[in-house]
Amino acid sequence: MADLPTFRTGRLVLRPLAVDDAEAMHHFFSDEEAMRYWSSGPHDTLDQTQDYVRINATDPKYRSWATTLKGGEALGWVVLIPGREGVAELGYNLRRSEWGKGYASEAVAEIIRHAFENGGYRRLVADTDPDNHGSNALLEKLGFQREGYLREEWETHIGIRDSILWGLLKREWEAL
């Protein structure tokens, strides 16, 4: 989306997600382990990933940034999905070969900063699978509070799954 700003952190460039990021993102979306806790199963074809990326890159409902090293190919993305006034859902993904390097934490922290300082949000929420220990630890590290536990909330490619609801308020983030 053309109206999204580009951000630079210590190691990353977060730029608006583009339709032509699909091939690079296919590394994530075709990876069974990376997609384990996603709401849909791994993509069998690049066409599936192209359709998915196109929606996230062009639909104004999604505010999606590609996570890159120095502006190169997309290693993942961070998305804000506005909901009620002042509230947005946060989502993210990262190519499995890049896990454990702190890139997801760095990228998500930057989008949180933008959401609260410039985006007009007072509250961010996230929804994770209870067994997604990496994602749950990331949210907790960034100051999110566990606000709820929904039993049998999602029907996914790995079966009926529970969900943890996370929330972060602007005033809590400012106090960190």
Side-chain angles (χ1 to χ4, degrees), residues 6-25:
T6 295
F7 302 107
R8 285 171 172 59
T9 67
R11 301 177 295 167
L12 305 173
V13 174
L14 303 172
R15 58 166 173 74
L17 184 69
V19 173
D20 62 3
D21 287 322
E23 191 169 339
M25 290 302 304

Side-chain angles (χ1 to χ4, degrees), residues 134-163:
S135 194
N136 291 321
L138 183 148
L139 291 169
E140 196 165 26
K141 172 185 170 185
L142 293 175
F144 279 77
Q145 300 295 311
R146 182 175 157 169
E147 296 182 337
Y149 191 98
L150 303 177
R151 298 174 300 147
E152 297 186 8
E153 176 68 3
W154 291 98
E155 185 172 345
T156 75
H157 57 289
I158 60 171
I160 305 294
R161 304 299 296 172
D162 295 349
S163 181

